[in-house]
Amino acid sequence: NLGDAPRAVKEMVESHLDPGQHEKAIGDFKRESLLLTSLEHPSIPTIYDYFFDGQRGRYYLVMKYIDGGDLAARQRAAGGLVDEKEVTEWAIQACDVLDYIHSQTPPIIYRDLKPANLMIDSRSSRVMLVDFGIARFVAPSQKGVTAIGTMGYAPPELFAGNVEPRSDIYSLGATMFHLLTGKDPQDNPLLIFDFTKNPKPRQIIPQMTTRMEQIICRAVEYKPENRFSSAKAFGQELDDHVRTLRLGTPGEQFIPAPDTQIGETVIAPANICVHC
């Protein structure tokens, strides 16, 4: 009994499967749906039920209905560019839920993080990760995972069949890049984050802080080992940054120059980050 509260039903369509693949798909769906129903996190909509319609060849998940818009809609409403502090706060919450699913045994890799799959719950104002249609439980050493994702947001290793928690870090970095610069990674999916050939974030949006540019560039590094080591580490960096943003534009910082004698002080411009 679900009561009178509205629910969302996610429909997943099965197609082009032979009988062997069909049975495996049903088994995988049941297993993964059962595991998803066990997840408890404020940024994951509660999943109440799941079932398979054999006649139509379709799978269904019944979950909590989120009545807020997604981040893509928020971006459009903002005229294409979202405030840096707001994006940072959203990303901190995204890192928290990614850290949660990555900490499962085996880890859950979301694989399709993008603005359209992050919603804002109008009741709690919390970021919600809403579409687990292609999320997968992946053992740390597992190879040959099906390459599914959204071009531009998906990291290079995903299309080679390799996926790991840092793959989601790349997608979150790409999402932040899009929200902050207005440049959709899907428009140039293979090269947009090759900053030797394409503009870095602050070349597109000069008002972006230097530290945010550094954060984004690290998150979308080509090699996973060069990204943040985990969603938790990513979130900690963002949390430190947002505390600075909440203070507003910092005043002049007194930083000794390398050749300054003891007792002397020089004034550094306000746009120099004392953490870098």
Side-chain angles (χ1 to χ4, degrees):
N1 181 15
L2 298 180
D4 296 327
R7 299 289 185 259
V9 179
K10 172 69 177 179
E11 180 184 64
M12 290 172 280
V13 180
E14 176 192 77
S15 61
H16 308 299
L17 296 181
D18 62 36
Q21 292 174 320
H22 172 79
E23 292 302 320
K24 183 179 185 301
I26 293 176
D28 289 347
F29 172 78
K30 290 181 177 178
R31 183 184 67 255
E32 292 175 6
S33 297
L34 182 62
L35 288 170
L36 285 172
T37 59
S38 70
L39 298 179
E40 294 185 8
H41 189 280
S43 287
I44 298 177
T46 302
I47 295 179
Y48 299 102
D49 197 7
Y50 61 92
F51 56 93
F52 173 69
D53 185 336
Q55 291 184 336
R56 303 182 67 191
R58 299 186 179 188
Y59 308 86
Y60 296 90
L61 288 174
V62 182
M63 62 187 71
K64 176 182 177 181
Y65 175 70
I66 307 299
D67 59 359
D70 60 38
L71 298 195
R74 294 284 181 120
Q75 182 179 25
R76 289 192 296 271
L81 297 177
V82 185
D83 175 73
E84 183 172 326
K85 182 170 73 70
E86 190 165 29
V87 171
T88 306
E89 290 171 342
W90 290 342
I92 290 170
Q93 294 183 46
C95 283
D96 185 61
V97 67
L98 288 177
D99 178 54
Y100 173 75
I101 65 173
H102 293 168
S103 299
Q104 301 301 303
T105 305
I108 301 173
I109 313 301
Y110 186 76
R111 297 202 297 168
D112 197 27
L113 199 149
K114 55 187 177 183
N117 283 344
L118 292 169
M119 295 186 70
I120 303 294
D121 186 344
S122 61
R123 297 180 181 179
S124 65
S125 298
R126 188 174 184 89
V127 168
M128 306 294 291
L129 192 60
V130 296
D131 189 348
F132 276 83
I134 65 171
R136 288 293 179 269
F137 294 82
V138 179
S141 60
Q142 185 173 345
K143 303 295 183 182
V145 178
T146 304
I148 302 177
T150 300
M151 291 290 286
Y153 298 96
E157 68 272 9
L158 188 64
F159 298 99
N162 301 322
V163 65
E164 58 158 284
R166 288 175 294 189
S167 301
D168 286 338
I169 289 175
Y170 181 102
S171 299
L172 179 55
T175 295
M176 294 171 64
F177 175 90
H178 186 188
L179 294 172
L180 288 166
T181 67
K183 297 295 183 181
D184 190 343
Q186 295 180 91
D187 294 339
N188 186 15
L190 300 179
L191 295 174
I192 192 166
F193 299 128
D194 180 354
F195 296 124
T196 64
K197 301 176 182 177
N198 290 277
K200 297 179 75 172
R202 293 188 73 246
Q203 292 176 294
I204 303 170
I205 302 296
Q207 64 267 34
M208 180 187 295
T209 64
T210 302
R211 190 176 188 186
M212 176 52 75
E213 180 180 74
Q214 293 169 343
I215 289 171
I216 291 175
C217 290
R218 183 176 177 186
V220 297
E221 282 279 0
Y222 184 86
K223 295 181 178 179
E225 58 268 27
N226 292 335
R227 301 169 199 159
F228 291 96
S229 60
S230 65
K232 184 176 183 178
F234 192 1
Q236 289 172 338
E237 183 74 14
L238 291 166
D239 190 59
D240 189 49
H241 180 51
V242 82
R243 285 199 298 269
T244 302
L245 294 176
R246 286 169 181 163
L247 294 174
T249 303
E252 293 179 325
Q253 304 290 336
F254 293 91
I255 305 174
D259 57 351
T260 301
Q261 295 181 1
I262 295 176
E264 293 183 326
T265 304
V266 296
I267 299 177
N271 62 353
I272 292 180
C273 177
V274 296
H275 300 286
C276 301

